[in-house]
Amino acid sequence: MAEPDGLPAQLGVDIDPELLTLALTHRSYAYENGGIAHNERLEFLGDSILGQAVTVMLFRSYPDLDEGELAKRRAALVSSVALAEVARTIGLGRHLRLGRGEELTGGRDKSSILADTVEAIIGAVYLDAGADIATDLVLRLIAPLLEDSSRFGAAMDPKTSLQELAARRGRGLPSYRVTDSGPDHSKRFHATVLIGGEDIAAGEGTSKKQAEMAAALEAWTILQSRGR
């Protein structure tokens, strides 16, 4: 794990080191180290701050949009898929405190873990610096999605966006292969998207839909990078 010393500069905030460390601590690390505190309470708080900041921003920025369209855009911007993309742009994965099991299974790039950690950091900033600074952080983090209109559209509806892109490229319809693991009360879903018989990308989530969306956005990104 990289030391989080450079993370506050990337985030553009000063944050108490202990709170930041807590925000980066996944439950798997906590359980393997004597049941120390982990980031899920901060995640709960950050989720609320995130939702409010995005709601107010959209309401003010798009006065001509109706409630349904505002809700759709908010859902896209606060989704695990979008937050994971935010986390990857700042290299958050290398700062995570993970247990050995998560480390060995690619936890540093799992969309669900990355998204939860972004929310935990927002919660930590709120506690340490207050609502205004936390709101500013949220708006800076989501700005790249808003500035990249094609990616924002893909994040809003990645399965439809992937289908349309694949059709334009003459690749055929995407299909999904989904597996699950874990107990009934805490299942994890893993989705692989195939186009023309080729495994293009994979994604994870706490539901089949979430896993498919994560896989679809990753596949859309890959196809976009390949060009025509």
Side-chain angles (χ1 to χ4, degrees):
M1 181 192 74
E3 292 297 322
D5 297 348
L7 189 54
Q10 286 180 287
L11 297 171
V13 294
D14 291 321
I15 180 172
D16 177 76
E18 290 188 8
L19 264 178
L20 179 58
T21 297
L22 177 59
L24 296 169
T25 302
H26 188 256
R27 64 177 179 271
S28 62
Y29 182 94
Y31 293 162
E32 289 183 14
N33 288 272
I36 63 174
H38 53 75
N39 64 8
E40 289 184 0
R41 281 176 54 84
L42 287 176
E43 175 197 335
F44 170 79
L45 176 61
D47 176 69
S48 178
I49 305 305
L50 170 71
Q52 181 181 40
V54 170
T55 299
V56 173
M57 181 276 294
L58 289 172
F59 183 85
R60 290 175 172 169
S61 299
Y62 301 97
D64 296 328
L65 294 183
D66 62 24
E67 179 187 5
E69 185 62 25
L70 289 172
K72 184 179 178 182
R73 295 196 178 201
R74 178 178 61 190
L77 289 171
V78 303
S79 71
S80 293
V81 172
L83 294 181
E85 290 303 300
V86 166
R88 292 184 181 104
T89 63
I90 61 173
L92 185 59
R94 68 178 181 270
H95 298 291
L96 301 177
R97 302 175 88 199
L98 298 176
R100 180 172 174 78
E102 286 291 354
E103 190 77 67
L104 293 174
T105 56
R108 293 192 183 279
D109 196 49
K110 284 185 180 177
S111 293
S112 57
I113 292 177
L114 290 171
D116 291 347
T117 306
V118 169
E119 291 180 337
I121 289 173
I122 293 168
V125 170
Y126 176 86
L127 289 178
D128 191 50
D132 289 345
I133 300 299
T135 296
D136 288 345
L137 172 63
V138 169
L139 298 183
R140 285 199 308 277
L141 290 175
I142 67 170
L145 282 174
L146 292 171
E147 291 166 2
D148 185 344
S149 59
S150 64
R151 186 163 194 83
F152 181 57
M156 287 179 66
D157 190 351
K159 293 182 71 174
T160 299
S161 296
L162 176 62
Q163 181 175 321
E164 292 173 348
L165 178 59
R168 290 198 299 272
R169 301 281 174 84
R171 297 292 300 272
L173 289 175
S175 61
Y176 297 84
R177 183 173 63 242
V178 182
T179 58
D180 62 73
S181 60
D184 288 343
H185 67 277
S186 184
K187 279 192 179 297
R188 300 290 307 170
F189 292 83
H190 181 90
T192 301
V193 58
L194 302 91
I195 302 177
E198 177 188 0
D199 287 8
I200 301 294
E204 291 195 347
T206 55
S207 67
K208 180 184 178 207
K209 178 180 179 181
Q210 188 181 83
E212 288 182 346
M213 288 177 62
L217 183 59
E218 180 64 19
W220 180 90
T221 302
I222 290 170
L223 286 189
Q224 282 282 92
S225 69
R226 289 180 181 177
R228 296 185 181 278

